[in-house]
Amino acid sequence: MRKWALPSVLLLLILLSTLPDQGRKIQANAEESDGDDLVDPPKIEEKIGAVPHGLSTDSDVAKRETESISRKSLRNNAEKFEFQAEVSRLMDIIINSLYSNKDIFLRELISNASDALDKIRFLSLTDKEILGEGDNAKLEIMIKLDKENKVLSIRDRGIGMTKEDLIKNLGTIAKSGTSAFVEKMQTGGDLNLIGQFGVGFYSVYLVADYVEVISKHNDDKQYVWESKADGAFAISEDTWNEPLGRGTEIRLHLRDEAKEYLDEFKLKDLVKKYSEFINFPIYLWASKEVDVEVPTDEESSDEEETSEATTSEEEEEVEEDGEKKKKTKTVKETTYEWEVLNDVKAIWLRSPKEVTDEEYTKFYHSIAKDFSEEKPLAWSHFTAEGDVEFKAVLFVPPKAPHDLYESYYNSNKSNLKLYVRRVFISDEFDELLPKYLSFLMGLVDSDTLPLNVSREMLQQHNSLKTIKKKLIRKALDMIRKIADEDPDEDPDESSDKDKTDSVSENDEKKGSYAKFWNEFGKSIKLGIIEDAQNRNRLAKLLRFESSKSEGKLTSLDQYISRMKPGQKDIFYLTGTSKEQLEKSPFLEKLTKKNYEVIFFTDPVDEYLMQYLMDYEDKKFQNVSKEGLNLGKDSKIKDLKESFKELTKWWKDALSAENVDSVKISNRLDNTPCVVVTSKYGWSANMEKIMQSQTLSDASKQAYMRGKRVLEINPRHPIVKELQERVAANPEDESIKQTARLMYQTALMESGFMLSDPKDFATRIYSSVKASLDISQDAAVEEEDETEEPEAEEKEPASTKETDEDTIKEETQEDTHFKDEL
């Protein structure tokens, strides 16, 4: 059935697209009334302050419109229409469904206004007179509030709509995605998809129960479209509102539960979030308190003067030219003015050569909401062309968020914002960047992505795969550039006084990749685990310390450049700290032969090396596992033969310890023995990591534990002595105890956890007794258990004397009181 579902939906959409765009026109049966009997038209607002651009009306018109607002009914003399059946269903769903995100309506209205302004600007390129003069020539979007009447107004000076446009555009829903949207709503799908199916304008009914659209096109008269979302809308010629000149004004009569959209700060936040980078200025008619000097009333009473003084009003008396000026006071006065909300420019639309470093830094602080003065570590500004065209700006933050890895696999939120034609769509598309690059900040703006699709459709859109591929490549190039620009700390170069200029230029870049690695190095390692396609490119970005790095970070390329002739493998060792690894017995022969060993001390490194098998045709070799090849040793065969009896006897002595075998070691120098694991099993460090997991199951982990192999040093005096004693008396129990003690000691030194610490401690104490010539049968001296009678606690003399004095004083007071009576 699923195979036929998508073709069926597509066929339904094609059939719907053949329907006429214009809704059926049904003339209302209401009788025509005389002009005196006309229902008064509604008005959006009273005159607030000095409203610019001629938005005020006379008092008679204001009175009629105020009365009409309370009615919120369609005008009787207006030409009435019915929405298409599909639109009616959709509006019913929008109004009667619960939405967790109603903010989307403002984004849609501003986007529509921006489109209208784009159209008139395009037409003005060939006909400059189409813009008109004065205020009409200003391409801007204005938002105004009327808190008293609960009206929100959005006005633009765009191309406007004719009567036919109003019927066509507002009476017919966008064809693309209509059926899918209706099905999604009726089947109880994600109710946050409003605004992404091309329903745009109809999202206003999430917050409004009555909507007026006033529009003026250069080729037609000014008309008013109005609807209560009850299945019908009306259009009439506008003869009562002030002339718009050109453009469209949408008045939303808000529902009681949508009063939050009458808050200036709420609107500012929404514009900043969704429409911050619209090409045209967005103004809000905002209130502002200013200090104003006003004359004081000299005849006012003392009480009034006192009260005015308490309100921090300042009075001044100034003498000038021998005459006293009138006293003045400073008072707070609320004024209104147009405040621009989108002052941050869309720098990604410009050429990277034209944008300065300061502009990039300011833009980063804007999108990241970072109010510190730190600059981003790097940025990449590029334009992609081809099958999918988009522009993008990526930033590497100076610091990692505190919870970057705590919710790594659970968070869907991305720091990369998706814009379509400069309109914010979402930051929850984890398909744009893989999770290991989720620390990057930035945005992607595409003109080719369909705006009228749902999130699920957009995630499955083929264009996203292309965008993701290009973003990953650019992001890795940006990070690699940080590494390349970080100068090598070569003492010869740093001491060269002739290169002071180049050194000063690199001062800021010096150590920048080390800073990046300390903040985001774990993300690169996770990328190697998760992204097989870019594994080799990510491996070049790896940094670590080694036995020869002298406390500095080094790379795989630098390691390979220092490899000894004939060395085929890259040697590494995992553990909890560098200090612990430097003392590891596994390094003895490697250090002696001048081999370099990489130190991996992050728990994620164990998982990393399960995926990073090789690099530049060099295999990775864990020096704590079997298979270590340090070149040919001509004496190894003779040693194996001469110690054959000892290794066999030792394996039998450790039959209870689950030891796979006992072998002659080629990696030891000063240590008598060490325990290694099989090549494809867990290392000792990995075993500890897995055992420390909260929900670990020891029974299920047994098959992943590597086989333990005891490697002995045939040149060590302890091993030689043990060989001689075994040859003399292989059944000597003390020798077997010594062999088991050496194995348990080697386990601890090799990084394993003992399964029976008590047994190990007992053997240590036995060994201590032997070294002190104490008999193994010597018993612990028993404690004398005779109970002593508890001694009575004697009260201190000073305390006793104090109590007696107190009693004496109280008695004297009682006697004196009786005498008085």
Side-chain angles (χ1 to χ4, degrees):
M1 292 297 292
R2 293 183 177 178
K3 294 182 178 179
W4 293 100
L6 184 58
S8 301
V9 172
L10 294 175
L11 179 60
L12 179 59
L13 291 176
I14 294 173
L15 293 174
L16 291 174
S17 64
T18 60
L19 295 175
D21 292 340
Q22 183 172 342
R24 291 177 300 167
K25 187 185 301 181
I26 299 179
Q27 183 68 33
N29 295 326
E31 297 180 358
E32 296 292 338
S33 303
D34 295 334
D36 296 337
D37 297 328
L38 292 178
V39 178
D40 295 334
K43 177 185 178 296
I44 179 174
E45 58 188 331
E46 295 287 349
K47 185 176 180 181
I48 303 177
V51 184
H53 312 314
L55 291 177
S56 61
T57 58
D58 57 57
S59 58
D60 293 337
V61 174
K63 183 178 179 181
R64 296 198 311 271
E65 292 176 346
T66 303
E67 293 174 355
S68 178
I69 284 177
S70 60
R71 298 183 54 144
K72 293 184 180 178
S73 58
L74 305 186
R75 295 170 181 80
N76 290 335
N77 64 333
E79 189 175 4
K80 295 180 176 61
F81 305 82
E82 283 190 0
F83 288 106
Q84 289 186 6
E86 192 173 86
V87 179
S88 299
R89 290 172 55 204
L90 175 63
M91 294 173 108
D92 181 66
I93 292 171
I94 291 176
I95 297 170
N96 297 309
S97 300
L98 297 177
Y99 293 88
S100 60
N101 182 17
K102 299 179 180 180
D103 300 343
I104 210 75
F105 82 95
L106 189 61
R107 182 193 77 176
E108 295 300 319
L109 295 183
I110 292 178
S111 299
N112 291 342
S114 177
D115 291 342
L117 291 168
D118 274 327
K119 291 177 182 178
I120 195 66
R121 183 173 61 178
F122 177 76
L123 293 176
S124 67
L125 297 177
T126 55
D127 185 4
K128 294 183 179 180
E129 296 181 357
I130 198 171
L131 286 178
E133 298 178 352
D135 292 337
N136 288 336
K138 297 178 180 179
L139 302 182
E140 56 193 8
I141 301 170
M142 294 171 288
I143 304 174
K144 199 167 186 180
L145 301 173
D146 184 356
K147 296 182 179 180
E148 183 178 350
N149 294 315
K150 297 189 299 183
V151 176
L152 173 62
S153 170
I154 297 95
R155 176 177 176 178
D156 67 76
R157 300 185 186 279
I159 193 169
M161 289 180 283
T162 63
K163 179 180 179 181
E164 183 180 355
D165 292 335
L166 289 171
I167 298 172
K168 179 180 178 180
N169 296 337
L170 304 186
T172 305
I173 193 171
K175 296 183 181 65
S176 57
T178 302
S179 298
F181 178 82
V182 174
E183 289 178 11
K184 193 73 175 178
M185 294 297 103
Q186 291 180 336
T187 56
D190 184 2
L191 298 181
N192 290 323
L193 303 182
I194 181 67
Q196 300 187 30
F197 277 90
V199 296
F201 169 77
Y202 301 100
S203 61
V204 297
Y205 290 105
L206 292 172
V207 297
D209 53 9
Y210 174 58
V211 178
E212 295 177 275
V213 179
I214 306 167
S215 191
K216 172 67 172 70
H217 191 281
N218 285 342
D219 299 335
D220 204 348
K221 299 178 181 179
Q222 182 167 311
Y223 286 90
V224 176
W225 181 100
E226 53 185 332
S227 175
K228 296 172 63 178
D230 55 358
F233 62 92
I235 297 178
S236 56
E237 184 179 344
D238 187 3
T239 57
W240 54 92
N241 289 309
E242 67 161 301
L244 294 179
R246 186 195 65 253
T248 302
E249 181 176 347
I250 301 176
R251 298 174 180 175
L252 309 182
H253 298 254
L254 300 178
R255 302 170 182 265
D256 291 336
E257 60 270 21
K259 290 181 179 179
E260 59 180 314
Y261 299 105
L262 293 173
D263 183 8
E264 293 179 9
F265 296 102
K266 173 72 173 180
L267 294 178
K268 289 179 182 179
D269 290 341
L270 292 182
V271 173
K272 289 284 185 182
K273 179 178 180 180
Y274 292 106
S275 309
E276 186 175 14
F277 303 111
I278 291 291
N279 266 349
F280 306 97
I282 302 173
Y283 292 98
L284 175 66
W285 188 243
S287 61
K288 181 180 179 182
E289 285 192 348
V290 295
D291 293 334
V292 179
E293 294 284 342
V294 297
T296 59
D297 187 3
E298 296 181 356
E299 298 179 356
S300 61
S301 63
D302 295 338
E303 294 180 358
E304 291 177 350
E305 290 178 357
T306 304
S307 63
E308 289 172 359
T310 57
T311 57
S312 71
E313 296 172 353
E314 299 178 358
E315 296 189 0
E316 297 180 357
E317 186 173 340
V318 183
E319 293 188 6
E320 187 175 349
D321 297 334
E323 295 182 359
K324 291 185 178 180
K325 294 188 67 175
K326 292 184 178 180
K327 293 181 180 180
T328 60
K329 61 181 178 180
T330 304
V331 297
K332 297 289 186 181
E333 184 175 305
T334 302
T335 61
Y336 289 84
E337 61 181 15
W338 292 107
E339 179 182 344
V340 64
L341 302 182
N342 56 338
D343 54 344
V344 179
K345 302 301 180 184
I347 63 171
W348 68 85
L349 300 177
R350 297 157 55 188
S351 170
K353 297 179 181 179
E354 300 174 358
V355 186
T356 64
D357 291 354
E358 290 75 14
E359 288 177 310
Y360 279 121
T361 302
K362 180 181 178 182
F363 184 74
Y364 164 75
H365 289 157
S366 173
I367 64 171
K369 302 297 184 282
D370 184 357
F371 303 104
S372 66
E373 296 182 358
E374 289 190 87
K375 294 182 179 180
L377 294 178
W379 54 78
S380 178
H381 180 187
F382 60 94
T383 300
E385 298 179 350
D387 297 338
V388 180
E389 295 183 1
F390 66 92
K391 301 177 186 294
V393 181
L394 302 178
F395 293 94
V396 178
K399 289 184 179 179
H402 66 280
D403 59 346
L404 177 60
Y405 302 111
E406 293 178 3
S407 57
Y408 182 76
Y409 290 106
N410 298 326
S411 176
N412 292 325
K413 186 175 177 61
S414 170
N415 290 322
L416 194 66
K417 302 178 186 297
L418 176 64
Y419 285 75
V420 175
R421 293 183 287 277
R422 296 173 304 283
V423 177
F424 174 72
I425 301 301
S426 178
D427 56 0
E428 296 180 2
F429 291 120
D430 54 356
E431 295 297 320
L432 285 177
L433 275 180
K435 283 189 177 295
Y436 69 89
L437 291 177
S438 61
F439 64 89
L440 295 177
M441 297 278 185
L443 57 84
V444 176
D445 187 3
S446 174
D447 290 344
T448 58
L449 275 179
L451 184 59
N452 55 339
V453 291
S454 71
R455 289 178 184 149
E456 292 180 358
M457 291 181 182
L458 187 55
Q459 286 178 345
Q460 298 170 1
H461 200 276
N462 292 331
S463 301
L464 283 186
K465 297 180 180 178
T466 306
I467 294 177
K468 180 178 181 179
K469 186 176 180 181
K470 293 182 179 180
L471 286 175
I472 293 175
R473 187 177 73 250
K474 287 292 185 179
L476 297 183
D477 288 344
M478 173 177 58
I479 298 173
R480 180 183 54 79
K481 189 176 179 181
I482 304 177
D484 294 343
E485 290 180 349
D486 197 358
D488 296 332
E489 296 183 4
D490 190 341
D492 296 335
E493 291 183 6
S494 61
S495 62
D496 190 354
K497 296 182 179 180
D498 296 335
K499 298 183 179 181
T500 54
D501 294 339
S502 61
V503 172
S504 61
E505 291 177 1
N506 288 332
D507 279 345
E508 189 173 338
K509 298 177 182 178
K510 194 172 184 178
S512 58
Y513 192 74
K515 183 178 180 181
F516 167 84
W517 185 257
N518 292 334
E519 296 290 338
F520 307 107
K522 195 185 296 288
S523 294
I524 301 299
K525 296 175 182 179
L526 290 170
I528 293 176
I529 296 172
E530 299 170 2
D531 191 351
Q533 187 175 359
N534 294 289
R535 187 165 291 155
N536 193 59
R537 299 180 68 188
L538 288 163
K540 290 183 179 293
L541 301 174
L542 275 178
R543 293 295 183 271
F544 42 80
E545 292 187 61
S546 72
S547 57
K548 289 186 178 181
S549 65
E550 299 179 353
K552 301 175 184 177
L553 294 176
T554 187
S555 66
L556 289 174
D557 290 329
Q558 292 170 338
Y559 177 94
I560 291 176
S561 67
R562 295 192 293 262
M563 288 176 63
K564 292 182 62 176
Q567 181 181 345
K568 297 180 180 180
D569 297 332
I570 299 175
F571 300 128
Y572 73 93
L573 184 61
T574 60
T576 56
S577 67
K578 177 189 172 185
E579 291 73 18
Q580 175 206 2
L581 296 179
E582 286 177 332
K583 301 174 184 178
S584 173
F586 296 111
L587 299 182
E588 291 177 354
K589 187 62 71 69
L590 291 163
T591 303
K592 187 175 182 179
K593 291 190 174 185
N594 200 29
Y595 285 103
E596 184 176 6
V597 181
I598 296 171
F599 296 148
F600 285 129
T601 57
D602 193 340
V604 76
D605 293 333
E606 286 286 356
Y607 302 92
L608 167 70
M609 299 315 296
Q610 295 177 22
Y611 292 87
L612 192 62
M613 301 295 185
D614 57 79
Y615 179 78
E616 300 294 341
D617 298 328
K618 304 289 184 181
K619 298 288 184 180
F620 284 92
Q621 173 63 50
N622 189 335
V623 298
S624 68
K625 292 186 176 183
E626 284 186 313
L628 181 64
N629 184 10
L630 299 179
K632 294 183 179 180
D633 189 347
S634 58
K635 298 181 181 180
I636 193 70
K637 289 185 178 181
D638 297 337
L639 290 172
K640 287 181 179 180
E641 187 63 29
S642 61
F643 282 86
K644 183 177 181 180
E645 294 298 327
L646 177 62
T647 54
K648 183 177 182 302
W649 172 88
W650 210 330
K651 183 179 185 304
D652 294 338
L654 299 177
S655 58
E657 299 288 348
N658 194 25
V659 176
D660 186 65
S661 62
V662 180
K663 297 180 179 180
I664 301 299
S665 177
N666 65 338
R667 71 187 83 207
L668 296 178
D669 185 40
N670 300 321
T671 304
C673 56
V674 74
V675 178
V676 300
T677 57
S678 56
K679 191 170 185 178
Y680 299 105
W682 284 346
S683 65
N685 188 52
M686 187 63 176
E687 280 193 25
K688 288 191 291 186
I689 292 174
M690 296 307 297
Q691 288 174 6
S692 64
Q693 299 295 321
T694 306
L695 302 177
S696 62
D697 187 346
S699 61
K700 295 181 180 179
Q701 295 176 2
Y703 73 96
M704 283 302 299
R705 292 194 181 99
K707 296 180 180 179
R708 296 177 180 178
V709 177
L710 177 65
E711 290 190 0
I712 60 176
N713 185 356
R715 299 177 180 83
H716 200 279
I718 295 179
V719 177
K720 287 184 177 181
E721 181 66 22
L722 198 62
Q723 182 188 26
E724 293 177 2
R725 295 198 180 192
V726 169
N729 185 8
E731 300 301 327
D732 189 346
E733 190 62 30
S734 64
I735 300 177
K736 291 183 179 180
Q737 292 293 339
T738 302
R740 296 189 187 102
L741 179 60
M742 289 182 64
Y743 170 73
Q744 290 177 328
T745 305
L747 271 177
M748 291 186 62
E749 193 175 18
S750 302
F752 291 94
M753 298 179 66
L754 296 177
S755 58
D756 190 356
K758 178 64 177 176
D759 180 62
F760 173 73
T762 302
R763 296 181 194 279
I764 289 292
Y765 295 142
S766 297
S767 178
V768 171
K769 285 181 180 180
S771 66
L772 296 176
D773 294 329
I774 299 175
S775 173
Q776 297 294 332
D777 298 330
V780 179
E781 183 179 352
E782 294 185 3
E783 184 181 359
D784 187 4
E785 298 182 354
T786 305
E787 295 183 1
E788 296 181 1
E790 296 183 1
E792 295 182 359
E793 295 183 0
K794 295 183 179 181
E795 191 174 353
S798 59
T799 306
K800 186 175 182 180
E801 292 175 359
T802 303
D803 293 341
E804 290 177 353
D805 292 341
T806 303
I807 295 172
K808 187 176 181 181
E809 290 176 359
E810 291 178 352
T811 304
Q812 291 176 353
E813 289 178 359
D814 291 343
T815 303
H816 180 69
F817 179 69
K818 290 178 180 179
D819 292 342
E820 287 183 352
L821 290 175

